[in-house]
Amino acid sequence: MADARVDLVKEVAQVGEDIIHSDRFDKAKRVPHHSKSGNIACHSLETATYALGITRWLSSHGVHIDENDVVRASLLHDIGMTEDDVFLSPSRKKAYSHPKEGSRIAAEEFGANSVQLDAIKRHMWPIGIVTPRYATGWVVVAADKLCSMKEVRREAAKKVRDYARKRHS
Ligand SMILES: [Fe+2]
Ligand SMILES: [Fe+2]
């Protein structure tokens, strides 16, 4: 099981090599996400790994989705957060603006195609009311939510541990 996950991570790294080694992704490493220790780059890599796993599972059930699109859209879905004015805006505004800004960056800097752009623009569903147009977008939505829940749960568990440690010291 662990080996299968390592293989998925390697495949994500191959498909998204240009993204992962870009200055933009370097910046994403410095943008916090869901916790003090988390960042947009880690979140995006994990989302892409989940998304590739979901895509493989769907394929084994007869639903075939382009893996390149899934991985690249997942790696770029939150890239809009690397724009300073987006990151510094109030959280409600940020939730609406980063998909739009992210799709602009994905098109200009990484040549994202229309399927990838749709997935990036609509990945915040149901906060954003417009649903993805393609199956690719639905996979990104599912992977992003799974990954976010895991990160929030990890952060909450850490806070509980820190609180307990303080009380007993
Ligand atoms: Fe997002
Ligand atoms: Fe995300």
Side-chain angles (χ1 to χ4, degrees), residues 20-32 37-42 45 82:
I20 292 165
H21 295 292
S22 67
D23 291 344
R24 181 66 75 169
F25 213 70
D26 260 350
K27 195 171 179 190
K29 290 176 191 161
R30 298 190 294 275
V31 179
S37 56
N39 61 62
I40 292 291
C42 284
L45 281 166
T82 58

Side-chain angles (χ1 to χ4, degrees), residues 100-162:
K100 194 172 162 218
E101 200 56 26
S103 61
R104 180 191 64 75
I105 294 166
E108 285 177 12
E109 299 180 20
F110 301 101
N113 63 29
S114 58
V115 173
Q116 295 164 19
L117 293 177
D118 182 78
I120 295 165
K121 264 186 219 157
R122 301 176 180 208
H123 79 268
M124 288 300 283
W125 184 86
I127 293 173
I129 53 168
V130 188
T131 55
R133 190 171 290 157
Y134 308 104
T136 305
W138 285 111
V139 172
V140 176
V141 165
D144 183 36
K145 301 305 180 268
L146 280 170
C147 200
S148 299
M149 281 192 294
K150 195 174 145 197
E151 288 161 359
V152 169
R153 187 175 153 272
R154 196 188 296 146
E155 181 65 8
K158 185 181 172 298
K159 279 185 181 158
V160 170
R161 276 198 309 277
D162 290 349

Side-chain angles (χ1 to χ4, degrees), residues 74-94:
S74 298
L75 285 173
L76 294 169
H77 78 282
D78 277 335
I79 206 74
M81 295 274 202
T82 58
E83 286 294 281
D84 294 341
D85 57 334
V86 172
F87 179 67
L88 295 172
S89 63
S91 59
R92 194 177 168 80
K93 197 169 171 219
K94 193 188 308 183

Side-chain angles (χ1 to χ4, degrees), residues 41-74:
C42 284
H43 166 75
S44 302
L45 281 166
E46 199 160 17
T47 299
T49 307
Y50 272 55
L52 184 55
I54 293 168
T55 305
R56 293 271 161 88
W57 181 84
L58 286 170
S59 178
S60 72
H61 289 75
V63 179
H64 303 289
I65 303 168
D66 186 286
E67 292 184 355
N68 255 39
D69 283 345
V70 165
V71 169
R72 294 184 71 82
S74 298

